[in-house]
């Protein structure tokens, strides 16, 4: 129940304009004018959707025992969502995990985001490096987050 509440709070967060949240947190950073928000929930939270719901089949279906990583990207100055970026995540830990995933475009409450399922089965800590390639920019925007399962 605690994870469900946290998941719903993250969904609400992704629906807010970037300008409404100013300070960097464990789930938010601003790098080179790009505001980046991440959310991580157990994949099982997605499993409850009916088969016809788009989230029941996104990213090839809901795997058992994995987590769903979601990233929302905004222009920090205007607060507008960046919809057409290419987003990848590299996740590492002290036990040798070194995973790279393409985060696919998706909608959460009709708001464009990027996400995919990732294997983070232990408590962590995990290092999550988000790379964002924004059309028209020559250099990728990179933000690194540390996440520990609570």
């Amino acid at each position: 129940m605690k994870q469900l509440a946290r998941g719903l709070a993250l969904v609400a967060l992704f629906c807010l304009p970037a300008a409404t949240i100013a300070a960097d947190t464990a789930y938010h950073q601003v790098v080179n004018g790009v505001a980046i928000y991440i959310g991580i929930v157990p994949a099982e939270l997605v499993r409850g959707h009916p088969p016809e719901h788009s989230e029941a089949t996104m990213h090839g279906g809901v795997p058992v025992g994995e987590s769903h990583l979601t990233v929302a990207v905004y222009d920090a100055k205007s607060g507008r969502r960046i919809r057409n970026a290419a987003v990848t995540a590299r996740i590492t830990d002290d036990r040798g995990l070194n995973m790279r995933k393409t985060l696919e475009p998706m909608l959460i409450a009709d708001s464009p985001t990027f996400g995919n399922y990732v294997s983070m089965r232990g408590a962590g800590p995990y290092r999550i490096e988000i790379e964002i390639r924004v059309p028209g920019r020559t250099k990728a925007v990179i933000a690194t987050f540390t996440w520990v399962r609570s």
Side-chain angles (χ1 to χ4, degrees):
M1 189 58 120
K2 181 176 163 184
Q3 290 179 340
L4 177 59
R6 187 178 306 136
L8 293 173
L10 288 171
V11 168
L13 173 69
F14 287 128
C15 296
L16 293 174
T20 62
I21 302 171
D24 281 2
T25 68
Y27 299 99
H28 168 251
Q29 290 183 30
V30 176
V31 178
N32 296 332
V34 176
I36 304 139
Y37 297 84
I38 69 166
I40 302 165
V41 297
E44 287 77 16
L45 291 179
V46 181
R47 191 178 311 288
H49 291 296
E52 64 276 2
H53 194 280
S54 63
E55 290 182 20
T57 57
M58 70 181 174
H59 317 310
V62 183
V64 174
E66 299 211 357
S67 297
H68 190 261
L69 171 63
T70 307
V71 176
V73 184
Y74 297 84
D75 176 275
K77 188 173 183 178
S78 69
R80 291 190 187 122
R81 283 204 187 247
I82 298 173
R83 301 167 184 266
N84 54 349
V87 182
T88 58
R90 180 171 171 244
I91 301 169
T92 58
D93 69 9
D94 294 340
R95 296 176 307 282
L97 176 68
N98 188 354
M99 170 188 5
R100 182 176 295 280
K101 284 276 190 155
T102 297
L103 302 185
E104 300 170 357
M106 54 183 275
L107 292 175
I108 294 181
D110 293 325
S111 297
T113 57
F114 303 88
N116 210 332
Y117 296 109
V118 294
S119 292
M120 297 190 300
R121 296 176 188 235
Y126 294 95
R127 183 175 177 264
I128 303 170
E129 181 182 278
I130 304 296
E131 180 180 294
I132 302 158
R133 297 204 169 269
V134 179
R137 289 188 176 210
T138 56
K139 293 182 83 175
V141 173
I142 298 174
T144 302
F145 298 87
T146 300
W147 185 75
V148 177
R149 187 178 313 280
S150 56

